[in-house]
Amino acid sequence: MADFVSGSEPLEMVCPNQTEAYNYIQQVAVAVAYQTLPRKDKGCVRAYLGKVTGYSPATLSRLLGQFKARGNITRAVRTQPAFHRVYTDEDITELARIDKLFEHLNGAATVETLRREYVVFGNQACVRLQHLSVAHLYNLRGSKTYKRQGFVYHKTKPTAVRIGARRKPQPDGRPGYVRVDTVHQGDKDGEKGVYHINLVDEVTQWEIVVCVEGISERFMIPALETALERFPFVILGFHADNGSEYVNQRVADLLERLRTKLTKSRPRHSGDNGLVETKNGAIIRKALGYLHIPRTPDNVIAINSWYQSWFIGYLNFHRPCAFRAVEISDRGKRKYRYPKDGYKTPYDKLKSLTKAEQYLKPGASFELLDLQAYAMSDSGWAEHMQEAKAALWESLQL
């Protein structure tokens, strides 16, 4: 060993197998009676073992000290118990599938969707996911299994038009007070894209979307008539920002025929039309993005067909929305929360209202609406909607 250690040629050796290295160190220690050797010879043995195993002096001191204390050298085994795994790879794959179909809703809405998949529609793939918490949802989304699944804006110009009352509507818990806004599908080379008319009921968040070629009266009046007709309840109020496409005499005449009050947003009160503004980003932009879509009649017809066949049904019967709860402190201060059990689809919210039947239009009934709401599971409807959207993109003239 002394000759090997004192060799003039530098030698670097590493033992890749830890078990074999430990066994060899123990064999050498037994063969040379390491405990009985004088200090100088022990140093020679340690230098030799360091050469052949590649271990540091500190590691060899620990291993030889273990040999001295117990007579053998063994690998340390972890004694910490492993946590029981609740959600399997199949569960995470199903979560990723539903996230993809619903285009990654927020945590609370996704948890409610998973619960409905099992409780309402009997999706056995969600038998464990129905109990998933919002906090752990993000842990699963960060897992390797999950990860393997793998323009210009212009502010609205203010106008001084004496049409409509400048105030915030007060629905008092009644559906039928609609917020409306326009979403523009981008410009390209000076050419305007299509426009989306987004209408959202304040109380139930029932949402109707219509695509138009332009925002002139020629396109807006028929589009608004069609959109308002698609709501299952009577429209009592119509609230818009101060855009001229809504605050004009033709729209006012249309609403007068429907016995609907027209209101418009107040200056420095962004919350007056805040609900539909959030829906513009969370719904319209998420579904169709910012890509310029030329405003041709064929494009408008194709988008409206997808809206009517799949998208509107998805928004109102299958996509959970957050409904806030108001708490008033002893000092009279209001605090707004979005509790977990406050997530409902717009249809479920409508049915939960007291004497909800009184708000329905003549000829509408919950029996007829149930046929559409429960004809397909949430994920099943979303899957067909995504397939139809893929076909839509292929048909658009871009």
Side-chain angles (χ1 to χ4, degrees):
M1 290 185 186
D3 293 339
F4 181 81
V5 170
S6 61
S8 59
E9 292 294 329
L11 182 64
E12 293 185 4
M13 301 178 64
V14 177
C15 184
N17 190 309
Q18 190 179 57
T19 302
E20 292 182 3
Y22 283 13
N23 291 337
Y24 182 72
I25 294 173
Q26 182 175 323
Q27 292 174 8
V28 171
V30 171
V32 300
Y34 180 80
Q35 296 183 19
T36 64
L37 293 177
R39 183 171 182 177
K40 180 180 178 180
D41 293 340
K42 284 183 178 179
C44 180
V45 172
R46 288 162 60 92
Y48 167 77
L49 292 174
K51 284 263 188 180
V52 298
T53 63
Y55 286 164
S56 67
T59 301
L60 288 172
S61 296
R62 177 176 58 83
L63 296 176
L64 292 172
Q66 183 185 124
F67 175 76
K68 179 179 180 181
R70 299 189 307 195
N72 59 13
I73 300 175
T74 58
R75 294 183 60 185
V77 179
R78 291 185 178 180
T79 58
Q80 181 180 0
F83 290 103
H84 174 67
R85 185 179 184 186
V86 177
Y87 301 102
T88 65
D89 288 345
E90 290 74 17
D91 294 332
I92 299 175
T93 302
E94 177 67 9
L95 170 62
R97 184 184 76 88
I98 289 178
D99 271 348
K100 184 176 181 181
L101 293 175
F102 286 80
E103 297 181 332
H104 297 270
L105 303 178
N106 67 40
T110 300
V111 167
E112 174 63 13
T113 298
L114 296 172
R115 186 195 67 80
R116 285 170 52 86
E117 276 292 300
Y118 181 77
V119 175
V120 180
F121 301 104
N123 183 353
Q124 294 300 315
C126 295
V127 63
R128 288 178 293 274
L129 289 173
Q130 65 168 321
H131 303 298
L132 182 63
S133 67
V134 176
H136 196 56
L137 165 67
Y138 290 99
N139 293 336
L140 298 185
R141 282 177 171 174
S143 66
K144 292 182 179 179
T145 302
Y146 184 93
K147 291 179 179 178
R148 280 197 295 264
Q149 309 295 326
F151 298 72
V152 178
Y153 303 95
H154 300 283
K155 294 182 180 180
T156 303
K157 296 181 180 179
T159 56
V161 180
R162 298 182 180 276
I163 298 177
R166 193 180 292 279
R167 61 180 174 82
K168 182 178 181 180
Q170 300 294 333
D172 296 326
R174 296 171 296 170
Y177 287 81
V178 172
R179 310 296 183 92
V180 64
D181 199 17
T182 304
V183 183
H184 182 217
Q185 195 66 43
D187 296 341
K188 183 178 180 181
D189 299 331
E191 293 293 329
K192 296 290 185 181
V194 299
Y195 293 85
H196 309 279
I197 310 304
N198 192 18
L199 300 97
V200 184
D201 176 63
E202 181 176 355
V203 173
T204 65
Q205 297 191 40
W206 197 284
E207 186 168 4
I208 301 294
V209 190
V210 182
C211 183
V212 293
E213 292 182 51
I215 55 176
S216 64
E217 295 177 356
R218 171 190 171 190
F219 303 108
M220 292 295 295
I221 300 302
L224 290 175
E225 287 180 326
T226 300
L228 294 174
E229 181 63 29
R230 289 176 181 171
F231 283 92
F233 38 77
V234 178
I235 304 301
L236 303 174
F238 185 93
H239 184 86
D241 55 18
N242 291 280
S244 60
E245 67 267 35
Y246 302 113
V247 185
N248 60 66
Q249 195 59 52
R250 290 290 301 277
V251 173
D253 293 342
L254 168 63
L255 297 177
E256 178 63 28
R257 293 198 304 271
L258 299 174
R259 296 295 188 266
T260 301
K261 295 181 180 179
L262 171 62
T263 57
K264 55 187 180 181
S265 298
R266 300 166 292 174
R268 297 176 296 280
H269 288 77
S270 59
D272 282 0
N273 215 30
L275 176 62
V276 70
E277 295 282 359
T278 60
K279 296 286 187 179
N280 290 344
I283 303 296
I284 307 300
R285 291 301 187 192
K286 198 169 189 178
L288 295 177
Y290 298 84
L291 180 68
H292 171 76
I293 300 178
R295 52 177 182 170
T296 64
D298 290 342
N299 284 348
V300 171
I301 292 173
I303 295 173
N304 278 328
S305 177
W306 179 68
Y307 278 163
Q308 179 61 21
S309 300
W310 294 106
F311 194 52
I312 294 175
Y314 160 75
L315 295 177
N316 297 313
F317 296 110
H318 301 285
R319 184 186 185 277
C321 301
F323 293 90
R324 74 183 185 184
V326 182
E327 295 179 354
I328 301 179
S329 66
D330 297 336
R331 298 182 178 180
K333 184 177 181 180
R334 292 189 176 189
K335 182 179 181 181
Y336 300 103
R337 297 189 307 106
Y338 292 88
K340 181 180 178 182
D341 57 0
Y343 276 77
K344 295 184 177 73
T345 64
Y347 181 58
D348 288 341
K349 180 64 175 180
L350 175 62
K351 292 179 70 175
S352 70
L353 299 178
T354 303
K355 297 181 180 180
E357 295 81 3
Q358 65 179 316
Y359 303 115
L360 297 179
K361 288 181 175 178
S365 68
F366 285 119
E367 289 75 14
L368 294 175
L369 293 172
D370 281 345
L371 295 178
Q372 184 175 359
Y374 303 114
M376 199 178 299
S377 70
D378 292 342
S379 63
W381 190 282
E383 184 172 4
H384 286 287
M385 181 197 69
Q386 295 292 355
E387 291 173 354
K389 185 168 77 169
L392 167 67
W393 281 113
E394 293 180 0
S395 67
L396 292 177
Q397 303 170 5
L398 301 177

